[in-house]
Amino acid sequence: MRFTHYFGQYRISLTGILISVFFLTTGCRHKQYLLSVVTEVDVSAMPEIELQGTDTGLEIIGVREIGIIDNFFVAATTDPAGQIKLFDKETLKELAVLCPEGRSRSDLIYPMLQPLQLVNKHGAPTLVIVDNNSFIKSINLKESVMAGHAVVDTILETFAPVDGCALDVGDGKWLDYHGIYYDDPRDNVCTSPTFIVRDNQITQEIPLFGDIMNTEAVAWTASFYIGLAVPRPS
């Protein structure tokens, strides 16, 4: 009887411990959720938007991005015979077909156009392109029209910008978006994305997000932490 009594006490005690541990582990587990502000917009109350324009009549093969700088209308295309096409902004007359697909200085292997960067460098309208995720090319548009081929002012082997999103911010500096880096995908350990300011002397990181939250589908984590820098119109 004494053994049965002690065993009964032990069994009850063990059950209690197991139940306590279960509630402690499940109750104290802090689940993380991505939260965002929900904004409701009454579409019916908004005025109709009418886009007005005229047909340019331009037939451009595989347009990817367009932009205007000074008197140039610039079209970046997928046409291997000329991936950059320049037109007069007012008359839409074709001025030059530049950068066929190739590996020479005036060619482009695969231009990264996010965004299309049209800047004035030393007073000259310039197209800045990250090519093949490996080179930054600075194309002087005025000189290119006169020469009949892309005149590349500078060519720089880069720091492998993520998705080609390297932004020229002037003074020889570049802004590079560095996305999520998986320290160990098996354990869902990720390094937060940053913007990185670079030039020949310095590298400075600008954090974008805090710690990365745990996700059930590790492979999709990066889609929730995306950064992109675009130049202001000015």
Side-chain angles (χ1 to χ4, degrees), residues 103 105 109 128-138 152-161 166 172 174 176 198-200 203:
R103 294 181 175 273
R105 185 180 180 88
I109 301 171
V128 182
I129 288 183
V130 179
D131 187 23
N132 201 36
N133 217 33
S134 302
F135 303 94
I136 296 175
K137 294 188 175 182
S138 178
V152 180
D153 290 337
T154 57
I155 183 167
L156 173 67
E157 189 165 353
T158 73
F159 32 81
W174 291 85
D176 168 28
R198 304 177 189 264
D199 64 11
N200 292 331
T203 298

Side-chain angles (χ1 to χ4, degrees), residues 53 74 104 124-125 139 143 153 196 228 231:
V74 185
S104 75
I139 301 172
E143 292 187 9
D153 290 337
I196 302 177
L228 178 65

Side-chain angles (χ1 to χ4, degrees), residues 29-50:
R29 183 188 300 169
H30 179 63
K31 291 187 176 181
Q32 295 176 308
Y33 298 94
L34 292 174
L35 302 177
S36 61
V37 178
V38 176
T39 303
E40 295 185 1
V41 178
D42 185 1
V43 179
S44 63
M46 299 181 67
E48 292 185 6
I49 300 174
E50 182 179 355

Side-chain angles (χ1 to χ4, degrees), residues 88-179:
D88 184 284
K89 183 181 70 174
E90 303 299 333
T91 66
L92 297 180
K93 175 186 175 182
E94 186 178 279
L95 301 176
V97 177
L98 310 173
C99 302
E101 187 174 324
R103 294 181 175 273
S104 75
R105 185 180 180 88
S106 60
D107 298 343
L108 294 174
I109 301 171
Y110 183 75
M112 317 297 286
L113 301 165
Q114 303 158 342
L116 187 66
Q117 299 182 55
L118 294 167
V119 298
N120 277 295
K121 298 188 75 173
H122 310 296
T126 302
L127 172 63
V128 182
I129 288 183
V130 179
D131 187 23
N132 201 36
N133 217 33
S134 302
F135 303 94
I136 296 175
K137 294 188 175 182
S138 178
I139 301 172
N140 187 311
L141 299 183
K142 279 187 177 180
E143 292 187 9
S144 296
V145 169
M146 292 186 290
H149 60 82
V151 175
V152 180
D153 290 337
T154 57
I155 183 167
L156 173 67
E157 189 165 353
T158 73
F159 32 81
V162 177
D163 294 329
C165 295
L167 191 68
D168 178 9
V169 294
D171 298 326
K173 292 185 175 62
W174 291 85
L175 191 65
D176 168 28
Y177 173 68
H178 182 76

